Structure formats: structure tokens, C-alpha cells
Amino acid sequence: MEKVTIMDVAAEGKAIAKVNDLVIFVPYVVPGDVVDLQIKRKKNKYAEAEVVKIHEYSPNRAVPFCQHYGVCGGCKWQVLPYSEQIKYKQKQVEDNLKRIGKIELPEILPILGSEKTEFYRNKLEFTFSNKRWLTAEEIRLDVKYDQMNAVGFHIPGAFDKVLAIEKCWLQDDISNRIRNAIRDYAYEHDYSFINLRSQEGMLRNMIVRTSSTGELMVIMICKITEDHEMELFKQLLQFIADSFPEITSLLYIINNKCNDTINDLDVHVFKGKDHIFEEMEGLRFKVGPKSFYQTNSEQAYNLYKIARNFAGLTGNELVYDLYTGTGTIANFVSRQARQVIGIEYVPEAIEDAKVNAEINNIKNALFYAGDMKDMLTQDFINQHGKPDVIITDPPRAGMHQDVIDVILFAEPKRIVYVSCNPATQARDLQLLDNKYKVKAVQPVDMFPHTHHVENVVLLELR
């Protein structure tokens, strides 16, 4: 299709064009671009396409700052100025709540943008592979590499191929320096990188976690089947420890399985502690190798402040914090509440939540582990008391119908609903609409250059 004008921005970081009533989703373009398209996939009502030529660039365009833009699959909105990105995120929230929710809404507050739009993440995971991904440009120029091993990010849709990352702009530059030093050492000493199809090779993954306290965690994950490999691995760990004395927690995991999950594996300490700390308003949160913590620390603080403000706590309330994770919100609001009860599916996260309460000398928080729909029952409410306020921060799929039914039974005065998916949030708000009225809506941008947006909604009993 020739000379098609891009009209709007859609979900998943794609943009939209329309040709004869056919809606076409296109990545890596912005509204106002005039392009030639190659259709890649066609359904009855929509198609997916790629750009083969750009005739006119939109005046609303930014120059991508990352050399890996358009290949690694992340940060799809680098071509949009940040002011435009947050405008579309605001629209995304409003469209979802109005179109899916079909409920009465107050004026939606302006989105809270992120002060940092580069180096804002506190966690990144890199993958090693013996199959380096070659870009279309490298193939066209017939580039030959002496080294086909790579460490970087998985290519979307190709589980065994990894794009070699030179510089990523998501996390403090220390993670680039650590990754590249490990890569160079592995090249120099002929370490094997995993073949993700045959599951042969030693180096698998690495995770880097930074924190607002200046602490730094590195986790190396390898496949080890023989004693001499363990010796080689220890030499690599010693090189990392010697080269980067700023690492406060150097950990390793032996993963001989066929998948990359580490939740069921033991973590070993090579140097330093087995955790780092995050800090927020004088509260300290212990973050272990498997802990969940919001990946944009500064915006997480803003998000939690909004949630606490919406909760309108006076010190007398019983608060339920649903999907509490490691208890960050629960512990954060505990000073303003009579008691907080946190519920979470992952038992390890609940252990972290209890530790965080202890570290901060919080005596009025209780934590329970179990599937939300099984834990939050009428019996649970009868046993622990009807909450005055419920704060809920469910996964992308939103809340189970059983959970909504129990919330309606509990009849808290206020519900603060934090969501990373305004579409499922809108569906849940509609289910609560008979008893609850939406009083305030505040979108928060946690992930610049991506389509993701967090949204905080305050509901009050009618």
C-alpha cells in the first residue's frame, strides 16, 4: 500500500492507519508520517503491516536516541516526543474508562509524567546466546562477525536469538559497563554461551538491580554439569568482584533446567549480602534476587503517594491491601492506618513483606499468602473485620469475579484501584458501579517510551 498517512496511536506501542475501512496497525511510526506499507497479516477487520518506505516525516517526530531502536523490540515510542507520549497515554486511559467502563466519570486528572525518561529502571535482565541476531542492515551488507555469541535482549518472536546490546538507556550506565566487561571476559577466555534450542553451553542470564540507596546487585545464572565448569564460573565471578567493587551483592544461580525461571532454584552468595535495600520516606524495603519491586523507583514513590492520598486515611481505618506483593503499599500506608492486612499469591513475596514490616518496626500490618479468590472470602472478612478502605493493585488480567463479589459484600467506604491495564480496570469498575461511584482518576507514567501506563482510581460508596 503506497503513501498511507498514519492517523493515530494504538495499544502495544503501535500506530494506526486506515485504508478503505481497513484498520492497519504499524510499529515504529507516528501520526502524520506518510508511508508505504507491506501487509504482514490480515484479518477481516484489521491488518498488521511494516513500513517499507517513508515519504514524509511527521512534524511530531523525535530522533530515536538508542542505536538498537527498532530492533530490540523495547522502547517503541522513542520516535514520539515525550510530551506527545504522555498525551496519548492520557487518551488511552480516558478511552478505556469511557468505552469499556461506560460509567459516570469525574474530570480525569492530567497524567503525572516521569522526570527521568532515560536510565530510570532499577532492574534489567540480559540473556546469553550462541546465536547473535543479525539486523536487516547487517545481512544486506553481508557483515561477518568473528564472534557469534551475544549477550543482550531476546528478539521478539525468536526465542533462541539474542540482539547483542552495546548500550541500553533503561538502567544506570553501570549495568552497561558490567554487561560489556563480562561479555569481553567471556570472549577472551572462550566461555560457551547457551544454545537455547539444544540447551548446551554455560552462560545463560544475568540480572542487574540498582537501588536509590546506591547498592548494586548482580545475579549470574549458568548451566553447570561438570566440575571444571564450576571452576571456570568461579573465575568469572571473581573477575566481576575485582572489576566492580561497587557491587554490594554478587549472587549466582545454577540453572540446569530447560527454562529460564529461577523461582524454584537456590541462590548462592559469592560476595556481599543476599539483598539490597530501597528507601522511601525513611522506610527501608529489602529487595532480594527474586523480589518484585516496581522497576521505576521514583515514579513508584509518586504512585504510592497518590494511592495513600486517595485512601484519605486518618489513623482509625482498617485497610485491606489486595495483591500486596512485597507489602510496599501496605507498609507505606501503615503509619496513617489503624491496621493494614495484605494478601498476595506468592508466598516468598509475603515473607519479604513481613521482613519489611519488621525492619521498619511496623506493628500494625498482617500478611497472608494465597490465591486472592480463595483467601478473600466472606469468612475472612468476618474474622478480620470489614475494611474501611481497600487498596487493590491486581495483575494485568484485573480482578476475578469472586474477588469483586467479596469486595461488594465487605462494603468499604473507599476503594483505591491501582492498575497497569486500564482496559481490565474499566471492566472491573463497571462491575462495581452499582455500589460505587468513581470520584477521582490519576494516570501515572511509569515507563517512558513504551505504551504502558499505570492508573489510580478512587471509588466511594454511593
Side-chain angles (χ1 to χ4, degrees), residues 82-98:
Y82 189 58
S83 57
E84 291 293 306
Q85 291 179 33
I86 57 175
K87 198 161 79 182
Y88 282 111
K89 288 184 185 187
Q90 177 92 17
K91 185 171 176 288
Q92 184 186 329
V93 168
E94 292 181 2
D95 286 353
N96 278 309
L97 295 190
K98 286 171 186 167

Side-chain angles (χ1 to χ4, degrees), residues 370-385:
D371 192 319
M372 189 62 63
K373 68 181 188 323
D374 302 331
M375 289 297 296
L376 188 74
T377 59
Q378 294 191 10
D379 286 348
F380 186 94
I381 303 273
N382 293 332
Q383 188 186 340
H384 294 88

Side-chain angles (χ1 to χ4, degrees), residues 266-313:
D266 293 333
V267 181
H268 308 277
V269 177
F270 185 80
K271 178 202 158 191
K273 299 175 296 186
D274 66 351
H275 61 273
I276 56 178
F277 280 104
E278 270 292 351
E279 222 170 63
M280 206 182 277
E281 267 186 18
L283 293 172
R284 286 166 69 75
F285 295 100
K286 183 182 177 185
V287 180
K290 300 176 187 178
S291 297
F292 171 79
Y293 194 86
Q294 280 281 9
T295 47
N296 183 341
S297 301
E298 289 174 24
Q299 280 298 81
Y301 177 43
N302 288 325
L303 184 76
Y304 299 153
K305 278 195 292 189
I306 291 162
R308 184 176 62 190
N309 183 32
F310 278 8
L313 303 175

